[in-house]
């Protein structure tokens, strides 16, 4: 009976990790959204960065533990690249409201996590700076759309763009999709990923993996040496991303539906993130 229960718990954990990876992968390629922000929302950000920073320690154990989440991330990028592009093209405002709700719901948990080692007023300086930087980066989005080009990049450039996607998967509050738009390669990269074009998949994949491993080490080091500053910087990026993607408000029934999506997303992420202390204690 006990072994059956334990097996059920493991199965639920595997499915949960896969779905979390799927959401993070979607965030890595969705305009205005950060995979790192969604990892924080799902309560796995610090755990992932620590594991990646020491990837070769207990390597086999980590492969088995994080394989479902890694598979989810890969499928999130590949399968949903075209879907996300379609949704943002045709239902941009409702989708943004839903993601904003998901972000807002995790703020109490994020603030609690940021203060885990104590609060200092000087943390507010880095918080404000990261908040302002996120807003400034969002101003690029308008010109980014106008800069879109359909020219196919070379292998080295594709690897660089994959590195940018990897960076967006890891760093919260930074939506790399509009950086790719600004460079004029976002639609081409989406087309290559969704069409399983190996000339895009292989160099972009290599660039993404290398980027994630390098920046995971840097972020993990920052957590060890400057925990409060690092988390308040993340907090600033996360809140700034909400303001940067807010699409405005109207007074018709469509916006009422959007607000409903925001509330649902907020309630869902708040309830999900409220379980994080238990997760951390059971690791």
């Amino acid at each position: 009976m006990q072994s059956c229960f334990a097996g059920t718990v493991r199965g639920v954990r595997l499915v949960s990790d896969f779905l979390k990876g799927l959401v993070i992968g979607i965030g890595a390629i969705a305009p205005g959204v950060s995979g790192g922000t969604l990892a924080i929302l799902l309560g796995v950000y610090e755990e992932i960065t620590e594991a990646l920073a020491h990837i070769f320690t207990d390597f086999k154990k980590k492969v088995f533990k994080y394989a479902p989440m890694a598979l989810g991330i890969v499928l999130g990028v590949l399968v949903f690249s075209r879907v996300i592009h379609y949704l943002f093209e045709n239902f941009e405002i409702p989708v943004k409201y839903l993601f904003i709700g998901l972000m807002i719901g995790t703020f109490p948990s994020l603030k609690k996590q940021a203060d885990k080692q104590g609060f200092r007023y000087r943390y507010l300086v880095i918080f404000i700076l990261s908040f302002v930087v996120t807003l400034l980066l969002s101003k690029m989005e308008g010109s980014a759309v106008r800069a879109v080009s359909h020219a196919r990049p070379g292998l080295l450039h594709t690897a660089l763009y994959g590195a940018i996607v990897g960076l967006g998967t890891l760093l919260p509050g930074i939506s790399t999709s509009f950086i790719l738009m600004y460079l004029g390669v976002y639609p081409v990269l989406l087309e290559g990923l969704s069409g399983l074009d190996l000339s895009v998949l292989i160099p972009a994949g290599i660039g993404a993996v290398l980027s994630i491993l390098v920046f995971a080490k840097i972020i993990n080091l920052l957590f060890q040496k400057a925990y409060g500053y690092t988390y308040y910087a993340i907090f600033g990026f996360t809140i700034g991303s909400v303001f940067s993607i807010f699409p405005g408000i109207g007074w018709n029934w469509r916006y009422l539906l959007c607000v409903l999506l925001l509330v649902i997303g907020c309630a869902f992420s708040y309830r999900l993130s409220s379980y994080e202390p238990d997760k951390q204690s059971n690791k």
Side-chain angles (χ1 to χ4, degrees), residues 161-183:
Y161 304 144
I164 293 173
V165 172
L167 184 65
T169 306
L170 202 60
L171 291 183
I174 303 298
S175 174
T176 55
S177 57
F178 68 74
I179 298 178
L180 294 173
M181 289 181 187
Y182 186 80
L183 295 173

Side-chain angles (χ1 to χ4, degrees), residues 13-32:
R13 175 64 186 269
L14 290 175
V15 173
S16 175
D17 286 349
F18 172 77
L19 293 176
K20 288 177 181 179
L22 198 67
V23 171
I24 294 170
I26 293 171
I29 49 97

